[in-house]
Amino acid sequence: MPDLTPLWLTLRIASCATLLAFAFAVGFAWLTARFTFWGRDFLDAILTLPLVMPPTVLGYYLIVVWGRNGWLGGWLHAHLGLSLMFTWQGAVLAATVVSFPLLFKSARAAFEGVSTEYEQAARILGDNELRVFFRITLPLAARGLLAGTMLAFARAMGDFGATLMVAGNIEGKTQTAAMAVFDAVAAGDYTLANTLVAIMSVVCVTILVMTNKLASRGRAGR
Amino acid sequence: MRLEVDIRKTLQSGDRRFELEAVFSSQDDLTVIFGASGSGKSLTIQAIAGLVTPEQGRITVGGETLFDGSQGLNLPARKRGVGYLFQDYALFPHLTVRDNIGYPLKKSWPFHLLPDDRREVAEIMASFEITHLAESYPVELSGGQKQRVALARALITKPSILLLDEPFSALDSMLRHRMRMELLEIRQRFAVPLVVITHDPADVEVFADTLVIFANGRVKEVSGRKNLATPDEDDGWRAKVCWRAQWKKERLAAA
């Protein structure tokens, strides 16, 4: 039985990253979908950037910001003695950034698909803004949010470049499945490579099939 | 019921500009705001409901001031106690008929209906003859059924006034006539004043005790029936409908 530690680590990192990305993406998506403000298109572009940039470039940016001498990382190191570099938390950071745009884009489309008339009706029926969000907007956008979350999870699981730059490739510590496959092939260990590749493929195909099902049922329901 | 509206609002979109100056009042329980689309009538009732904030002016319903620009008073929509029937009903698609109607009654998480509220929902569903639809979703309903559900949901909060945005335009003509009669009957049963906006003269015939005619963002004419001879109250609403029909035809011809 090949060593499956990288797989568990990948699941842990991808889960944390998806949760983080979800919180930020829902917030920003709601903001950009429901309000018109100066610089909205620019904000949208910045938030979507990780989708099109090479992962290594993203990783480099993350080092600049979060590294020991970085803007935020320097503060963290000086005041709390913490560093995200070469830790699994750093890998979470990288995976969050690369998966964020997928969730953000889906969430924004989902929120924009919710007619504001339902929200107005809820207001007239006595709801404040918080209740409108949790009783109307969120449930009506749920399918799109879930589909985006699954895509983001798949993307977070598969990240290679950004994670490598930030967290390195330390066996048992930051070595995710994607990196383990790389190492296994380089070392000629095809049993391990085949096992990891097979598992990753099954998980990703399952996620995509479920996402498509959600999307098509969403269309039929409206 | 006294409704007083005196508001101004400017909408700007690109180089298109729309100025609303709505000034009218009504003493009657049946008020029709009549005008072509784009005349500002929708904007006006949205302002009454609190969905749109006028730049200046005053809105009073039954003696309660909902908006007063000079005092900086602007009650949020949820506190206005106003009922609103949307043109395509705006029934929440993720909730059953029962949960749609009970929606305004459940105020806090986890949004379960208390026994008293359940009874209230059951009663209003019975009175609208939609009990058998309780577990259906809005997508499964016909146009007339949707309208009944939307009316039940709007009236369960016992609003001080019910605003209706083109209430019959989404229905076919056979159903339209029936739902008009139903609405008149509901108005009497729930004793709620109605404000109907429409561009259909047939609605004017049935619903206008006070008729407000809008054109190009302004009130062109307000006419009430108070200064005219009225038929005896005991004649019932059917007689009134016939009487109104004639009177309205004259008014519309004059406008």
Side-chain angles (χ1 to χ4, degrees):
Chain A
M1 185 68 189
D3 179 17
L4 293 182
T5 319
L7 213 57
W8 303 128
L9 192 65
T10 303
L11 279 181
R12 183 165 67 173
I13 290 171
S15 304
C16 294
T18 309
L19 277 178
L20 270 177
F22 183 85
F24 283 106
V26 165
F28 278 114
W30 182 75
L31 207 65
T32 48
R34 278 294 177 264
F35 299 96
T36 315
F37 50 88
W38 188 87
R40 185 178 64 164
D41 292 344
F42 185 71
L43 180 68
D44 184 284
I46 294 288
L47 294 175
T48 313
L49 214 50
L51 199 60
V52 292
M53 277 210 293
T56 45
V57 174
L58 270 182
Y60 186 78
Y61 273 122
L62 285 174
I63 291 172
V64 168
V65 176
W66 290 98
R68 237 169 238 198
N69 301 316
W71 308 333
L72 290 169
W75 185 90
L76 265 188
H77 188 65
H79 291 85
L80 301 171
L82 294 175
S83 174
L84 292 174
M85 297 299 109
F86 302 106
T87 62
W88 74 271
Q89 289 91 340
V92 170
L93 177 70
T96 304
V97 171
V98 295
S99 58
F100 174 86
L102 289 167
L103 236 167
F104 170 69
K105 281 287 173 194
S106 314
R108 183 171 173 183
F111 285 143
E112 278 171 349
V114 176
S115 161
T116 53
E117 201 170 274
Y118 297 130
E119 297 172 348
Q120 291 186 330
R123 279 182 203 117
I124 289 174
L125 293 171
D127 274 3
N128 60 25
E129 293 307 307
L130 201 66
R131 285 203 204 107
V132 171
F133 182 76
F134 282 106
R135 295 177 78 184
I136 302 295
T137 318
L138 204 58
L140 287 178
R143 242 184 259 280
L145 290 179
L146 196 57
T149 305
M150 292 168 75
L151 278 180
F153 182 78
R155 177 70 186 86
M157 245 179 41
D159 184 58
F160 185 86
T163 310
L164 187 68
M165 294 285 282
V166 174
N169 181 6
I170 306 165
E171 232 185 290
K173 202 177 161 211
T174 65
Q175 188 183 63
T176 60
M179 291 175 206
V181 170
F182 184 81
D183 277 6
V185 172
D189 183 352
Y190 284 94
T191 322
L192 180 60
N194 285 340
T195 313
L196 289 173
V197 164
I199 295 175
M200 297 278 281
S201 304
V202 168
V203 171
C204 286
V205 167
T206 311
I207 287 177
L208 284 180
V209 169
M210 283 164 72
T211 311
N212 280 341
K213 274 217 164 120
L214 278 174
S216 62
R217 244 199 297 159
R219 272 195 296 277
R222 295 274 150 81
Chain B
M1 166 61 62
R2 186 162 177 86
L3 167 69
E4 281 177 271
V5 174
D6 179 352
I7 50 168
R8 273 148 206 73
K9 170 91 184 165
T10 309
L11 291 183
Q12 184 103 36
S13 162
D15 45 343
R16 285 198 312 164
R17 191 180 158 86
F18 178 77
E19 277 182 51
L20 174 74
E21 188 185 331
V23 185
F24 67 92
S25 70
S26 169
Q27 299 266 25
D28 291 307
D29 285 350
L30 287 173
T31 304
V32 168
I33 300 179
F34 180 83
S37 55
S39 61
K41 57 191 195 309
S42 288
L43 203 58
T44 304
I45 68 160
Q46 283 170 6
I48 298 173
L51 301 176
V52 163
T53 309
E55 273 120 33
Q56 46 170 301
R58 217 174 122 84
I59 298 169
T60 315
V61 174
E64 193 191 356
T65 306
L66 304 180
F67 175 82
D68 191 334
S70 63
Q71 290 181 25
L73 173 73
N74 184 20
L75 276 186
R78 67 176 189 277
K79 291 186 178 158
R80 293 199 176 195
V82 159
Y84 196 106
L85 192 79
F86 286 85
Q87 192 168 357
D88 39 19
Y89 315 124
L91 296 176
F92 304 132
H94 59 306
L95 300 178
T96 60
V97 164
R98 184 200 304 283
D99 286 338
N100 261 284
I101 296 172
Y103 188 94
L105 301 181
K106 26 189 185 178
K107 280 276 161 271
S108 56
W109 195 84
F111 304 119
H112 286 313
L113 280 178
L114 301 170
D116 275 0
D117 297 335
R118 280 190 81 87
R119 205 172 321 119
E120 207 174 325
V121 172
E123 272 168 23
I124 205 163
M125 281 197 298
S127 98
F128 278 89
E129 294 171 29
I130 48 177
T131 306
H132 60 293
L133 302 171
E135 305 306 325
S136 307
Y137 284 88
V139 70
E140 302 160 345
L141 305 180
S142 71
Q145 290 170 335
K146 276 184 193 164
Q147 181 157 66
R148 286 199 195 117
V149 174
L151 279 169
R153 186 179 69 176
L155 291 172
I156 202 165
T157 58
K158 304 185 177 65
S160 59
I161 192 169
L162 180 60
L163 310 168
L164 301 101
D165 186 357
E166 304 266 3
F168 309 107
S169 62
L171 306 174
D172 61 60
S173 55
M174 286 292 285
L175 196 55
R176 220 176 271 183
H177 180 68
R178 215 176 76 208
M179 292 310 292
R180 275 191 194 108
M181 296 302 114
E182 246 184 73
L183 184 61
L184 270 187
E185 194 253 327
I186 284 162
R187 195 214 78 68
Q188 298 218 313
R189 189 148 32 103
F190 287 84
V192 61
L194 305 183
V195 176
V196 178
I197 72 166
T198 184
H199 61 261
D200 185 347
D203 290 335
V204 177
E205 289 175 13
V206 179
F207 294 106
D209 280 350
T210 291
L211 173 62
V212 182
I213 299 179
F214 267 65
N216 302 318
R218 274 159 205 275
V219 175
K220 210 172 132 200
E221 188 187 335
V222 183
S223 41
R225 70 180 173 96
K226 289 283 186 227
N227 50 348
L228 295 163
T230 51
D232 193 275
E233 287 299 315
D234 296 334
D235 285 359
W237 53 267
R238 269 173 214 284
K240 274 193 195 168
V241 169
C242 302
W243 170 83
R244 269 195 210 102
Q246 204 189 345
W247 176 68
K248 280 339 153 205
K249 250 176 224 149
E250 289 164 17
R251 295 275 15 129
L252 285 181

